Every structure is written in C-alpha cells, then in structure tokens.
Amino acid sequence: MQPSGIVLALGAGGARGLAHIGVLQVLAEQDIPVRAIAGSSIGAQVGALYARLGDPAQIARIAMGVDWKQTLQLFLPDLGSGGLSSGRKIMEFLQTHLGAARIEDLTLPYTAVATDLHSGEEVLLRRGRVVDAVRASISLPGLLSPFLHGERLLVDGGIVNPVPFDVARALYGGPVVAVAVHQGARGLSASEMTPVPPPSWRTQLRRFLDQPWTHHAGPVRQWLEEQLATPSVQDEHVNDWRPRHVLTQAVNIAQAQMVRLRLQSIPPDLYLMPDVDALGPLEFYRAREAIAAGRAAALEQLADLFALAHRRPEAYGAPGTVPRVPMGGPVPPIDADNP
C-alpha cells in the first residue's frame, strides 16, 4: 500500500517559481503530506531543496537571503560555452545547500525534468547527484550553459515540459497537484511578458554600470544595459521591442500552448496558478512577494487540498501505468541515470 499524501508537480518560471515555497509552507502548516515531487527548472530546484531539507521555512530563509547584488553575481556573464554564464556561481550556491546528496537517498521520491539539446527528448533524472540534476534542469538556453550529463547535453526542462504533471502522474500515480508559474500561465499579455523592474533595482543596476571596470567588459556591460531596457507596451501597434524581448515572448507563447495541450489530455487533480505576473524571471531578490503569492494560491484552494490529501493513492492505479502524451511528435521521455 502506497503512503497517503499528494504528488507535487512544480513548474518552470525563473524567480516566479519561488512561489512554490509558499505552497509548501501552507501544506506543512496544514499537515498535508507530500509523498513525491516532479519538477522542471526552478520547480526542480525548490523540489530538491524540500526533498533534501524537509523544512519550507528553511527554504524560505535561503530564498529571502538573496538580494539584488547576489542575484547579479549568480547570473553575471562570464561568457561560458553555450550561454552568457557558465553557471559556476549557481553550482556553488546549489552545493552549499544540497551538498553531495543523491536523489535515491532523499526523503521523498523525486524527479527533475531536463531537455536533450541535440534530440529534443524529455529526460527524467531520478538517480545520482541532486546538484547535477538541478543544474541540468535549470539550464535556461542562452543564459546558462548547457549541462553535460554523460553523453547528453542537457538544458532547461521547461522547454519540453513547463509543468510536469503528466510526469508526476506517470511515475507516482496521484493525486497530483500542479503549480504553474511560467509566464503566460494566467494568460498572455504584452505587459505581463515584460514586467518593468522596480525603481530600486534599476537604480542599483545603474550604479553597478557606473563602476569603471564595466567599461572594459563589453559583453557584461551590454547584458546589464539590456536588463535596464524595456519595450513600450502602451501602444500594442508600436514595434519598439528589442530582439531579446521578442524571442522571450515567442518562447512564452509556445510554453503556454504546450501546457494547454497537456491539460486537455492528462490534467492534474488540482492546478494552482499563483499570481506572480508582476515578477520578472530573474528577480530572485523579490522572494518575499513570490512566496506570499504561493501561499495565497494554496490557501484559496485549501478545501480541495484537504480533500485530495485524504484520497488513497491506489485509486489512481499503479505508478508507471498512466499513458504519457508526447508533444511535438512520438518522442518518449528518457529515464536517464545521473552518475
């Protein structure tokens, strides 16, 4: 007999995914057990921290300890191969909190979703070092270098599966509670796609740019200046969007459509959508706002969460028997070892 509790599917979304912490806080406060987690990108990271530490309050302290300067340091371009950043600083951050833990030794069954850059296959990481699985799953193309995993070059899991509720169902049965924080989860709009950084962030970033050394680091300076630039969304007929924003919007549209198709085929038992529209994907210094949004979304559906927590997992069939829905062609997910 399987243990009772819900299976979480934590979605991709950059800093917006810190809302997952708020959802976990409410579940812990209400004694609603979590028996397994599948996550993509930031969902894989928060899920790993929970499976490793088991304390949402501790994870919240870690998240809220990251200010704007540390955010810059984590993502500051160092011209890594295949991305603006090699991800070295992020790997150090992950190792500080996850150590040498292995997935098979975590307190909960856990899966991180990544994407094979060459084949486009969905890769499920269920064994090996937790930090490696998380680093692969958060490798946002263009920003963080792809992660070499054996002979596979892996990138962000959100590319093929922004909210992996179908993975959660296939591997762990049910009931499945999905948390969607990707841009477009609550609807697409020009203003939602390009949230304007708050004045404090822009002021601090401008001060950073004024430091003399940035004049001798062309790519770094260019990247920082792009973070200050936002397209005008006052008139939707005016085309003054920068290429980066156009590309970002196109990816967001594709993600939103992909999730809609999956929702029609193998929906989760509950689909939470925290209101994180105002947060940018790299605004990790706004953890308090994201966590509050996650809490609000979970509290709003608290009655449904209680009802699901009391359902027996056996009612959903044996794990692994639920059919998967390939997206974009007959490409099955790859269950990869993570040495």
Side-chain angles (χ1 to χ4, degrees):
M1 181 177 293
Q2 300 181 60
S4 61
I6 61 174
V7 178
L8 283 178
L10 303 181
R16 297 168 175 227
L18 297 178
H20 296 320
I21 302 172
V23 173
L24 288 167
Q25 284 182 334
V26 171
L27 295 177
E29 292 164 3
Q30 301 298 325
D31 293 322
I32 298 176
V34 176
R35 65 181 186 84
I37 296 177
S40 287
S41 196
I42 185 65
Q45 180 173 330
V46 173
L49 287 168
Y50 181 73
R52 175 76 172 90
L53 303 175
D55 182 6
Q58 185 178 353
I59 303 171
R61 287 193 294 271
I62 293 171
M64 289 189 291
V66 177
D67 58 18
W68 71 269
K69 187 176 293 186
Q70 288 172 300
T71 299
L72 275 178
Q73 290 172 343
L74 286 173
F75 294 98
L76 196 63
D78 56 8
L79 304 182
S81 176
L84 284 172
S85 172
S86 65
R88 180 177 57 85
K89 288 290 186 180
I90 290 178
M91 197 66 165
E92 291 174 0
F93 176 85
L94 293 174
Q95 288 174 332
T96 298
H97 301 292
L98 295 172
R102 296 182 64 83
I103 294 175
E104 52 268 41
D105 297 329
L106 294 174
T107 58
L108 295 173
Y110 167 84
T111 297
V113 179
T115 304
D116 187 305
L117 185 60
H118 295 294
S119 68
E121 293 167 311
E122 181 180 70
V123 178
L124 308 183
L125 301 172
R126 296 199 286 164
R127 290 177 287 277
R129 295 205 320 157
V130 181
V131 290
D132 292 341
V134 173
R135 175 61 179 84
S137 187
I138 65 173
S139 301
L140 185 64
L143 179 61
L144 293 181
S145 297
F147 186 78
L148 186 61
H149 175 276
E151 297 182 354
R152 289 180 176 271
L153 200 58
L154 301 181
V155 292
D156 199 292
I159 297 173
V160 291
N161 203 339
V163 193
F165 46 82
D166 55 336
V167 170
R169 177 85 74 194
L171 295 180
Y172 307 120
V176 174
V177 175
V179 186
V181 292
H182 57 282
Q183 290 179 304
R186 294 164 51 86
L188 297 169
S189 70
S191 58
E192 191 271 340
M193 290 293 185
T194 55
V196 178
S200 59
W201 162 257
R202 297 175 67 85
T203 299
Q204 297 287 6
L205 191 55
R206 176 56 61 188
R207 289 176 181 171
F208 197 81
L209 271 170
D210 288 340
Q211 296 183 24
W213 72 268
T214 64
H215 295 280
H216 304 286
V220 173
R221 184 175 182 84
Q222 180 181 357
W223 182 79
L224 292 171
E225 287 175 341
E226 285 185 353
Q227 307 316 302
L228 287 170
T230 55
S232 171
V233 294
Q234 301 302 317
D235 185 351
E236 63 180 7
H237 302 293
V238 175
N239 182 12
D240 61 353
W241 289 59
R242 290 173 176 258
R244 177 174 64 88
H245 293 117
V246 174
L247 179 60
T248 298
Q249 186 172 12
V251 171
N252 293 338
I253 292 170
Q255 281 191 330
Q257 293 295 339
M258 191 185 310
V259 173
R260 286 194 187 105
L261 288 172
R262 278 193 162 94
L263 283 170
Q264 293 171 8
S265 302
I266 309 178
D269 298 282
L270 185 62
Y271 193 65
L272 302 180
M273 294 180 290
D275 185 359
V276 286
D277 294 352
L279 274 69
L282 295 182
E283 293 181 331
F284 288 92
Y285 56 92
R286 299 176 67 182
R288 193 177 300 275
E289 298 170 63
I291 293 171
R295 291 184 60 87
L299 289 170
E300 185 178 353
Q301 301 292 329
L302 193 56
D304 291 331
L305 287 169
F306 274 125
L308 290 173
H310 288 90
R311 290 188 189 176
R312 294 304 309 173
E314 289 77 12
Y316 295 88
T321 63
V322 181
R324 297 293 312 283
V325 178
M327 308 302 296
V331 179
I334 303 299
D335 194 1
D337 285 322
N338 183 22

